Amino acid sequence: LERQEPRPRVRSIRRPSSTKSSMPMGTPLVFAPAAGRPHLATIVVLHCFTWSGREMAVYRLPRLRAAMPSSVFNCMRVVFLSAPHRPITCFGGRITPSWHDYFTDHGGPEGQPNLEEEINVEHLAWSRSQVHAALDDELARLGVAAPGKLALLGESQGACVALDAALTYPSNNLLAGVFASYGMLYSHSRLPAESKRLPVSAFIGAGDRCIGAGLSLHSFGRMLEAGYSNVHVEVAPRLPHVYEPAAGETDLEYASIARAFDRWGLSTVSSLESKAAAHTAARAPLDTAEMTGSLSAAAISPSDEAQNAVTLSSPAGSGAAAASQPSLDGLQPVPPWQHMPEPERRPPPVPSPELLALVDEAEHRGAEEARAREEADRGEDELVCVGASP
């Protein structure tokens, strides 16, 4: 399954569309640990362009559950964040869930997936702040005395935003890691020196016609050049963008996520329970020795470039949601599956009634938690006003 969405490109340019994202976040979906099980870890997930947190939960929660031991999954809290509905400039102002606006669509009719898109960087900054706030909330629930129990995942546009947010998160030394599927590191995203040991893993398809594999690999190479010491990128042969495996087919994307969780110590209950003793609140200082990355692949000929697997790695070891969206009269929404090229279309699996009931419960829990945060924020604002000097 490939959904043809814009390839992200970041430029600090001004465009006639609204630059500030005053639109509210969508309702998050919160899946709690199984009844009677302890809360040992949290996964925060950012959805694709044109999707919502609900769609991401319906179609990705079963795959996440299947990729992990049930003993571990049952002790996890999984949070699917939802981006605002916003008009997209390159789509003529049509509305869709999106972490930011796109000004170009090089991989649409233009057919240039290795050109990075121009996006609204102020929207990106706003989304970054919302993800940071969500990570703050989840760390508070877990307790900072036991770092390494919170991971950030994203797919496609969500992967690009997840990378940007994780690398710039002030407390990212407490994160287990960030995983980016079918995404890239925006050229506008900063690479802070203090984030060089953050575990970063990614999965992309060599046949991706949305965010080209060459563009994505180049962006991760930027991290290696900057001295990032814990970067793992897997490239699957021939795989298109946001591929939906058929029944009985190996789920390459979530197998890659499972390997990342194993590297991060999130794959067994015993490793999670021992994290408080095994981790310190800050990672060790970086070595002064120069970091070098490695790029290995089978011999790639021009005609076979999209069919070879590439593994890119660095040295081993080394705001609150709103219940309603703003009125945007005269603009039409973009259906979630509209941008998939015809030859790659595969209907998504039909969710079971049990799964939909679980998703409904998670959406209700997310809305309740969002309301509680809003009330707490209002209370803090009132205290500030009362204590302010005349």
Side-chain angles (χ1 to χ4, degrees):
L1 174 65
E2 180 176 346
R3 183 174 47 265
Q4 192 70 13
E5 65 177 73
R7 268 94 2 238
R9 180 184 182 90
V10 184
R11 285 186 182 175
S12 299
I13 58 177
R14 296 290 180 180
R15 294 282 174 159
S17 65
S18 172
T19 55
K20 297 208 173 172
S21 185
S22 58
M23 300 175 183
M25 289 275 284
T27 301
L29 284 85
V30 178
F31 295 85
R37 302 305 298 270
H39 176 201
L40 296 181
T42 297
I43 310 298
V44 176
V45 184
L46 306 189
H47 59 76
C48 313
F49 176 56
T50 78
W51 280 29
S52 65
R54 181 181 177 88
E55 285 175 302
M56 197 72 176
V58 167
Y59 297 118
R60 295 297 179 260
L61 187 70
R63 293 171 64 183
L64 181 62
R65 180 191 293 165
M68 303 176 62
S70 58
S71 58
V72 175
F73 184 84
N74 289 337
C75 295
M76 282 192 167
R77 173 179 160 99
V78 185
V79 180
F80 292 86
L81 300 182
S82 290
H85 287 69
R86 66 172 81 251
I88 303 301
T89 299
C90 69
F91 292 159
R94 290 177 294 172
I95 301 171
T96 189
S98 182
W99 297 105
H100 53 69
D101 188 15
Y102 287 103
F103 301 133
T104 59
D105 185 12
H106 294 306
E110 200 175 316
Q112 300 188 66
N114 284 311
L115 284 182
E116 192 179 353
E117 301 291 351
E118 298 173 6
I119 74 167
N120 188 314
V121 295
E122 293 187 20
H123 290 177
L124 175 63
W126 181 87
S127 291
R128 179 191 307 139
S129 70
Q130 300 303 303
V131 176
H132 287 179
L135 295 176
D136 285 343
D137 288 344
E138 297 308 321
L139 278 178
R141 290 176 181 274
L142 285 165
V144 295
K149 294 186 174 185
L150 174 61
L152 181 61
L153 273 61
E155 190 170 278
S156 194
Q157 185 196 56
C160 304
V161 175
L163 286 167
D164 180 273
L167 292 171
T168 56
Y169 184 50
S171 300
N172 67 17
N173 62 302
L174 302 178
L175 299 181
V178 56
F179 193 97
S181 298
Y182 303 104
M184 63 169 290
L185 178 68
Y186 286 142
S187 59
H188 191 75
S189 295
R190 293 187 296 109
L191 289 171
E194 58 270 21
S195 300
K196 287 184 178 180
R197 286 200 181 275
L198 174 69
V200 177
S201 293
F203 176 85
I204 57 180
D208 196 324
R209 298 197 305 273
C210 183
I211 301 175
L215 176 64
S216 186
L217 286 171
H218 178 77
S219 75
F220 290 110
R222 207 181 120 217
M223 299 183 71
L224 297 177
E225 291 171 359
Y228 276 64
S229 61
N230 200 352
V231 180
H232 299 261
V233 180
E234 297 180 10
V235 183
R238 297 177 296 278
L239 208 65
H241 192 66
V242 189
Y243 182 74
E244 186 77 40
E249 186 178 3
T250 301
D251 191 340
L252 298 176
E253 177 187 357
Y254 277 76
S256 182
I257 290 175
R259 286 190 288 274
F261 282 5
D262 187 54
R263 289 193 297 270
W264 301 345
L266 297 178
S267 59
T268 66
V269 173
S270 60
S271 65
L272 289 171
E273 289 176 335
S274 64
K275 273 184 175 290
H279 287 73
T280 58
R283 290 193 175 92
L286 288 172
D287 296 331
T288 55
E290 181 180 359
M291 303 284 185
T292 58
S294 62
L295 176 65
S296 61
I300 298 178
S301 63
S303 59
D304 295 330
E305 182 174 1
Q307 301 184 29
N308 286 277
V310 180
T311 299
L312 174 68
S313 63
S314 52
S318 5
S324 62
Q325 297 291 348
S327 174
L328 295 167
D329 296 335
L331 300 178
Q332 299 299 316
V334 178
W337 304 99
Q338 176 172 322
H339 303 290
M340 295 184 298
E342 194 70 40
E344 304 293 345
R345 291 192 184 192
R346 175 181 293 154
V350 178
S352 67
E354 293 78 13
L355 174 60
L356 291 178
L358 189 65
V359 169
D360 289 340
E361 179 184 346
E363 194 165 26
H364 176 74
R365 184 181 296 112
E368 290 293 320
E369 290 186 5
R371 280 193 287 271
R373 282 194 297 272
E374 287 177 344
E375 292 175 1
D377 290 343
R378 279 197 298 269
E380 291 178 2
D381 290 342
E382 290 172 0
L383 287 174
V384 170
C385 292
V386 169
S389 301

